[in-house]
Amino acid sequence: MRKTIKNYLATHYDDYVKDLETLTNIDSGNGDCEGTERANQFVAAKMTALGATTEFRYNERACHLISRLQGKGKLTVLLVAHVDTVFKKGEAARRPFTLDDNGFAWGPGVGDDKATVVEVIYGLQALKEAGFEDFKEIIYYTNGEEEGGSPTAEAIVAELSQQADFAIIMDVARPNWGIVTQRKGNAKYRVEVQGIGGHHGNASQHCANAIHQLAYTITALHQLASPLPGRPENFTAEALVARGIEDAGQFIPQNTVNVGVIGSTNDKISIIPGDAFCEVNVRCFSVAEQQRLDAEIKALADKIVVAGTKVTITGGIVTGPMEKTPQVQKMVDIYKAIVQEEFNGTVHEWVAGGLTDGNRTAKYVPTLDALGVENYDEHTDHESVDLKTAMPRAAAFAMTLAELTQVF
């Protein structure tokens, strides 16, 4: 089977590039329902040709596509990619798909995530060519709102995850056979302080400064965070390269607490502020730690330093982390072995502070993330994708999918 997969993909590279060009030249920015519909219609035509049934779902901002292939085995696989980009309508006409002499392709969303959207199609075509049917169902969800997120997309991911035995997130890959095996979960809080306002000079003895109390609360919040590894300038991508260190996200602190917004209705320094607030984002790698931090943050409402003030804390856990469980480790080991045996490559495991649909599938099923084509500078006007990695990545993905259906 592996030989058939590799041969099929090697002989269909030009077709892959042509399809990637077509998809990249479709404007499908986040929030563009018409554009994401056109992109997903392209995907649907390819999946229908493979024998899949397709279902379109809509809201006012996007088109979502669920494609289903039926097999003769026991396990259901969920594959997740996305057709939306961060670019506005007209960007594809301004800088359409181009391919240079070094095998790099350029264009809006070419790497994030369109090269990988097409990779999945060709990986599934190769599996069909190899006669692979040892699965109950392969569900391929192409999200139309991944870049901005939405209740619609989150509900679809939750629905499909509960129908699957494991999930593979086909999102942008890290360089040198890099994949992502852990992602932080996300929590959001709003801290509101009610004090007693008044004139600073004449009424300070019977006032309570809300901003002063907020400062104490913020200090307590940051004491919950993991320490940073050192001086910030020593941990930029350029600084790590200069020190001969390969960045795989290993310096990302285990817990991070960011007070990103702060304010008060008061705008005069001669007035003691009677109100203040801040908004906080908290991220960490484990469910247990996320729950511990949630309890400790909410307990800060009772820790009053400035007499006469009251602290109210609202919010909580939004999205859980993508943890590397023993089942996920089994998935990683299979992928690593295939890459080593078939391509003499070494898979590098990354951890990430950002979220993908992998955070959401991981709530329900073991999840492997970032098996896409390797790309660079996503979300910029010089985003590129290394198409020399496209067929090897597609082959490794297809072989891994086939093997996982035998061992789970």
Side-chain angles (χ1 to χ4, degrees):
M1 177 184 291
R2 290 187 181 184
K3 184 177 180 181
T4 301
I5 289 170
K6 291 173 77 172
N7 288 342
Y8 178 87
L9 292 169
T11 57
H12 285 78
Y13 172 76
D14 290 342
D15 295 330
Y16 168 88
V17 173
K18 182 178 179 181
D19 284 341
L20 177 57
E21 178 177 9
T22 299
L23 188 59
T24 303
N25 286 340
I26 297 173
D27 277 317
S28 55
N30 186 259
D32 181 355
C33 187
E34 179 184 2
T36 52
E37 181 182 48
R38 287 182 60 210
N40 266 328
Q41 285 174 338
F42 175 86
V43 176
K46 297 291 181 180
M47 292 301 296
T48 300
L50 271 167
T53 60
T54 58
E55 175 191 358
F56 293 92
R57 295 191 189 178
Y58 295 86
N59 61 24
E60 67 280 1
R61 289 177 48 83
C63 168
H64 300 258
L65 175 65
I66 302 167
S67 303
R68 296 176 184 268
L69 283 166
Q70 304 302 318
K72 298 178 180 179
K74 297 179 180 179
L75 300 183
T76 295
V77 184
L78 174 60
L79 309 175
V80 182
H82 67 93
V83 297
D84 64 321
T85 76
V86 299
F87 301 101
K88 295 181 180 179
K89 189 171 291 188
E91 189 71 9
R94 187 177 74 84
R95 52 182 189 93
F97 177 92
T98 59
L99 180 64
D100 68 22
D101 294 337
N102 295 316
F104 278 76
W106 310 76
V110 67
D112 188 14
D113 187 34
K114 293 187 175 182
T116 299
V117 169
V118 182
E119 173 200 347
V120 173
I121 294 168
Y122 276 79
L124 295 177
Q125 289 175 353
L127 285 168
K128 183 177 181 180
E129 180 72 12
F132 173 68
E133 295 183 310
D134 199 8
F135 58 92
K136 179 180 179 181
E137 186 174 48
I138 294 174
I139 307 171
Y140 184 24
Y141 169 47
T142 39
N143 189 343
E145 293 182 282
E146 194 272 349
E147 293 294 0
S150 79
T152 300
E154 291 180 17
I156 292 172
V157 171
E159 172 193 342
L160 299 179
S161 296
Q162 294 175 80
Q163 299 172 14
D165 294 288
F166 61 89
I168 302 177
I169 306 303
M170 300 302 298
D171 211 325
V172 296
R174 300 306 195 266
N176 301 318
W177 287 106
I179 62 173
V180 177
T181 56
Q182 296 179 78
R183 288 187 182 275
K184 284 187 175 181
N186 179 41
K188 297 179 181 180
Y189 302 89
R190 182 178 173 92
V191 179
E192 295 181 327
V193 181
Q194 187 63 47
I196 303 171
H199 190 282
H200 178 216
N202 297 325
S204 57
Q205 67 276 13
H206 57 74
C207 292
N209 192 309
I211 289 179
H212 286 182
Q213 175 57 50
L214 182 63
Y216 284 112
T217 304
I218 290 173
T219 299
L221 282 167
H222 278 276
Q223 288 173 346
L224 297 174
S226 300
L228 295 173
R231 295 178 63 85
E233 62 268 25
N234 293 333
F235 294 90
T236 64
E238 295 78 10
L240 292 177
V241 170
R243 290 156 58 193
I245 297 173
E246 183 175 340
D247 183 11
Q250 69 269 35
F251 297 109
I252 297 173
Q254 290 296 306
N255 305 325
T256 50
V257 179
N258 182 57
V259 177
V261 178
I262 189 168
S264 170
T265 60
N266 183 53
D267 61 359
K268 294 181 175 62
I269 63 171
S270 60
I271 299 298
I272 294 174
D275 65 84
F277 76 92
C278 71
E279 294 182 358
V280 189
N281 186 226
V282 179
R283 301 195 180 199
C284 58
F285 283 117
S286 76
V287 172
E289 189 67 358
Q290 195 175 47
Q291 292 172 344
R292 182 188 73 81
L293 287 171
D294 182 69
E296 293 205 21
I297 288 168
K298 290 174 179 175
L300 294 179
D302 297 326
K303 296 183 179 180
I304 304 300
V305 178
V306 178
T309 60
K310 178 183 178 181
V311 176
T312 302
I313 300 176
T314 55
I317 296 169
V318 178
T319 306
M322 189 183 84
E323 294 186 279
K324 190 168 74 168
T325 65
Q327 284 182 301
V328 172
Q329 185 65 61
K330 183 186 295 185
M331 298 174 77
V332 172
D333 291 343
I334 288 171
Y335 188 72
K336 283 183 172 181
I338 287 171
V339 169
Q340 176 62 47
E341 293 164 10
E342 298 297 328
F343 301 99
N344 195 31
T346 301
V347 172
H348 298 270
E349 294 186 42
W350 286 64
V351 300
L355 283 68
T356 67
D357 283 324
N359 290 76
R360 301 178 180 95
T361 61
K363 181 178 179 180
Y364 303 99
V365 290
T367 297
L368 191 58
D369 194 0
L371 267 63
V373 185
E374 297 176 20
N375 78 307
Y376 300 87
D377 302 317
E378 65 264 26
H379 295 193
T380 72
D381 62 2
H382 51 279
E383 175 179 1
S384 65
V385 61
D386 184 358
L387 293 189
K388 296 186 296 298
T389 72
M391 295 300 94
R393 281 279 188 161
F397 148 68
M399 295 172 192
T400 299
L401 187 157
E403 189 157 336
L404 287 173
T405 60
Q406 305 302 308
V407 300
F408 261 67

